[in-house]
Structure formats: C-alpha cells, structure tokens
C-alpha cells in the first residue's frame, strides 16, 4: 500500500525543475514519492532519478511505486545533507535538478506512530530517521527550562514559550512526559484561556518547534544550501518547498548570497573578494499555492516555493 500523501504544487515544481529526458535529478525528500513519480515520467528515456529520505517508510514506499524500464532509479535511506557523498558513491559529478520538499509528510502525521501529531496519544518520538539517537521525549525531559523556552520561541515563534517551558519542567518533576497527548495537554494548560480561542490547536507551534529541534532541520538545510551550487550542472536547477518562515528565510538568503558578484564591504574602494555569481533566482517573489489547491489540500496552505538556476 502506498503512503497517504498529496504532493504540493506539482505543476509549479515540474515547471521550475524543467525536467528533461536523459538528465539526472535528485528528489532529496521523497515522502510519498508523488513529486518523484512526476519527475520520473519526464526524464524518460535514459534519465537518472536519485531519491533520498530519512524515513525508512518513504524508501519502502518508493521501491514499490517508482518503477521504470527506461530510467535508472537509486534510493537511499539518508539525510539530504549527504547528497554529495551519495553522488560520489554513484560516480556522478553533479545533477541537473534538485528538489527539497521540507517539513513533515501526511503519513508521518497520521500513521507513523511517532508522536508528530497532538491529535493522537503516541510515544513522544518525532524522529524522521528512527535510527538517530535523540527523541522528543529526551529533549522534553532533559533540557533546562531556558533551553526549552529558546526552542519554542526560536523554532515555533511561540508567544507563550516561557510559560510553556516552565509548566513542562514543573510537570516532569511529578512524572516523565512520554506521550504526545500528555505534552499537548500540558501546553494547553500553560496558555492563558483567552489565547485558546485561536484557529489553530494551542500545541501546534510547540510540536513543530520540537520536531525541528529533534531532526536538526534548520541546521541541515543551511549547510546544504551553502554548498548546493557545487553539485549542480551548469543550467541545473534547485527547487525548494518550505512550510515555515525560518526555512524560507534560509533558502532566500542563501540564493541571494550565491547571486551576488561581490561581497566586499560597501566602503571598500575596490573588490578584493573575486566572488563570481553562481546562481540566478527563477522566483524573484515567493510562489504560493492557488486557493483551489489549498481547498483540496489544506496542508499546502503555508507552502512557499523558491527556485534558482546555476549559471
């Protein structure tokens, strides 16, 4: 059975990746393989598709749904940060397109059993890669109050981060916090009642922040974006779908930095950095999903697409 998943902005992704027959593309976050399936269809014949995901369920699913006699498909249970090593293993110098579909999949929310959702009572895990060591339970029960506050405020932009962190520390002195339902209830109790009339669940930002911290998502993204141009062929394209303002900020700033010809301080009379322009942005303004797509797939609501091409 295929994983439950609806690919976000499939037409826009196909357009900005510019997939062509016989070329090499890397889907670095396979998820339910919806985008990968469309890429595969467009690179026939003779293309190469490299699929990567931290979640073993995604790799298992991709093995079943990504089949083609005219395309070489290589699947890896790994973090996209390791794409350069994977290419070296495959004896491929660079690729013609890279897709990053960040965030969490519908399968992980609904069926992984790892506590990504506050709507279920599941073990407080939140690891995308279950072979990694640190779980959400570890962080919630081990970190100091100020560290929890920083995670909730920085990664979740949670207004009530201080109150929530204090409540968690007080509660874990009574008993360890081990389940998603338990954590969600603590968060609800920590937030003032007048603030509970919001449209989103009160634990939304805390769960998102905790997931980002467990999987080191922003750190991995920033490192990848810093070096992405080196593994793109000339005219190769990068397409990133982000679902969080901090993710989008990293992508935006990295693309902008790689577009610059000179990074010397403004008061320098002469350029001494000798930096060359590496990328050109294909999306001067962020691309958002249509209202029609959001109606059909509410998870697409916060999506932001940015794309760039190597010069």
């Amino acid at each position: 059975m295929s994983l439950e998943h609806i690919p976000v902005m499939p037409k826009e992704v196909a357009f900005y990746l510019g997939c062509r027959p016989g070329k090499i593309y890397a889907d670095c976050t396979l998820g339910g393989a919806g985008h990968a399936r469309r890429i595969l269809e467009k690179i026939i014949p003779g293309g190469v598709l490299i699929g990567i995901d931290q979640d073993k369920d995604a790799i298992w699913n991709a093995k079943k749904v990504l089949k083609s006699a005219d395309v070489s498909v290589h699947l890896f249970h790994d973090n996209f940060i390791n794409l350069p090593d994977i290419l070296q293993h495959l004896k491929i110098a660079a690729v013609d397109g890279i897709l990053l579909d960040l965030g969490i999949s519908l399968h992980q929310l609904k069926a992984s059993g790892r506590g990504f959702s506050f709507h279920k009572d599941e073990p407080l895990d939140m690891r995308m890669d279950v072979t990694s060591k640190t779980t959400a339970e570890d962080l919630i029960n081990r970190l100091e109050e100020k560290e929890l506050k920083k995670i909730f405020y920085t990664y979740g932009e949670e207004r009530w981060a201080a109150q929530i962190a204090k409540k968690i520390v007080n509660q874990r002195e009574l008993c360890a916090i081990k389940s998603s339902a338990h954590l969600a209830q603590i968060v609800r109790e920590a937030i003032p009642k007048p603030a509970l009339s919001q449209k989103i669940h009160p634990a939304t930002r805390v769960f998102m922040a905790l997931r980002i911290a467990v999987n080191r998502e922003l750190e991995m993204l920033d490192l990848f974006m810093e070096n992405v141009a080196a593994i793109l062929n000339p005219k190769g394209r990068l397409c990133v779908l982000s679902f969080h303002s901090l993710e989008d900020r990293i992508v935006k700033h990295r693309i902008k930095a790689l577009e610059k010809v000179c990074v010397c301080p403004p008061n320098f009379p002469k350029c001494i950095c000798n930096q060359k322009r590496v990328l050109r942005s294909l999306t001067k303004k962020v691309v958002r999903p249509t209202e029609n797509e959001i109606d059909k797939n509410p998870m697409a609501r916060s999506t932001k697409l940015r794309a760039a091409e190597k010069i």
Side-chain angles (χ1 to χ4, degrees):
M1 182 181 296
S2 298
L3 300 190
E4 183 180 2
H5 179 73
I6 305 172
V8 176
M9 302 176 73
K11 292 181 180 178
E12 292 86 346
V13 167
F15 173 77
Y16 283 107
L17 276 180
C19 298
R20 293 168 289 162
K23 298 297 183 178
I24 306 170
Y25 292 84
D27 184 341
C28 294
T29 46
L30 278 168
H35 287 301
R37 194 160 43 217
R38 286 166 173 79
I39 292 171
L40 186 142
E41 291 169 356
K42 292 180 179 294
I43 63 176
I44 293 172
V48 176
L49 175 63
I50 301 164
I52 306 170
D53 206 287
Q54 296 183 76
D55 195 326
K56 285 184 176 180
D57 290 348
I59 300 300
W60 170 85
N61 175 71
K63 287 179 180 178
K64 293 180 177 295
V65 302
L66 298 179
K67 297 179 180 179
S68 173
D70 299 312
V71 175
S72 295
V73 178
H74 304 278
L75 302 176
F76 295 88
H77 172 232
D78 209 332
N79 190 301
F80 60 74
I81 192 70
N82 296 318
L83 178 57
D85 296 331
I86 290 171
L87 294 180
Q88 186 175 20
H89 169 74
L90 295 172
K91 295 181 171 55
I92 295 174
V95 300
D96 299 296
I98 294 173
L99 171 64
L100 289 181
D101 184 358
L102 305 172
I104 191 168
S105 72
L106 195 59
H107 165 73
Q108 288 168 329
L109 276 173
K110 290 189 173 183
S112 69
R114 287 177 238 155
F116 287 108
S117 174
F118 37 74
H119 293 300
K120 296 184 177 182
D121 192 12
E122 298 174 340
L124 202 54
D125 188 318
M126 294 196 190
R127 292 173 298 172
M128 291 182 176
D129 179 0
V130 294
T131 66
S132 61
K133 294 181 180 180
T134 303
T135 67
E137 180 184 335
D138 294 332
L139 298 187
I140 285 295
N141 289 287
R142 188 187 72 223
L143 294 183
E144 294 182 3
E145 182 178 329
K146 63 180 181 180
E147 293 175 301
L148 289 172
K149 175 187 173 182
K150 182 178 179 180
I151 286 174
F152 301 152
Y153 185 78
T154 303
Y155 296 157
E157 300 174 302
E158 172 55 63
R159 177 185 177 188
W160 307 103
Q163 293 90 327
I164 293 168
K166 184 175 183 179
K167 183 75 172 180
I168 286 171
V169 170
N170 289 338
Q171 286 294 310
R172 74 188 189 192
E173 289 180 357
L174 302 176
C175 66
I177 302 167
K178 293 179 174 291
S179 77
S180 54
H182 189 189
L183 177 60
Q185 182 59 36
I186 291 170
V187 174
R188 179 182 287 276
E189 292 173 357
I191 297 175
K193 288 185 178 180
L196 294 177
S197 59
Q198 300 175 13
K199 293 181 180 180
I200 66 170
H201 190 286
T204 299
R205 294 185 182 90
V206 167
F207 271 63
M208 178 178 65
L210 197 53
R211 188 204 79 220
I212 289 173
V214 168
N215 297 287
R216 300 167 61 205
E217 295 175 32
L218 300 182
E219 178 185 347
M220 295 296 102
L221 175 61
D222 195 36
L223 287 171
F224 183 82
M225 288 296 301
E226 182 180 7
N227 302 298
V228 68
I231 51 176
L232 280 172
N233 284 321
K235 300 296 182 181
R237 292 186 170 189
L238 168 71
C239 183
V240 184
L241 295 170
S242 62
F243 297 81
H244 186 288
S245 61
L246 296 179
E247 292 172 340
D248 180 61
R249 196 175 304 158
I250 289 171
V251 175
K252 177 183 177 181
H253 289 171
R254 284 298 183 186
I255 290 176
K256 190 174 181 179
L258 291 169
E259 279 191 296
K260 286 185 176 180
V261 176
C262 173
V263 293
C264 294
N267 59 337
F268 272 35
K270 182 181 178 181
C271 174
I272 61 172
C273 70
N274 296 317
Q275 176 167 306
K276 295 182 179 179
R277 190 181 184 199
V278 179
L279 295 179
R280 72 177 183 94
S281 177
L282 300 175
T283 50
K284 296 303 180 183
K285 292 184 178 180
V286 69
V287 180
R288 305 297 297 267
T290 64
E291 289 300 323
N292 184 52
E293 179 173 4
I294 293 171
D295 289 340
K296 294 178 180 178
N297 180 17
M299 285 189 70
R301 181 176 291 107
S302 59
T303 313
K304 296 178 179 179
L305 184 154
R306 294 188 187 274
E309 182 179 72
K310 184 172 180 179
I311 296 172

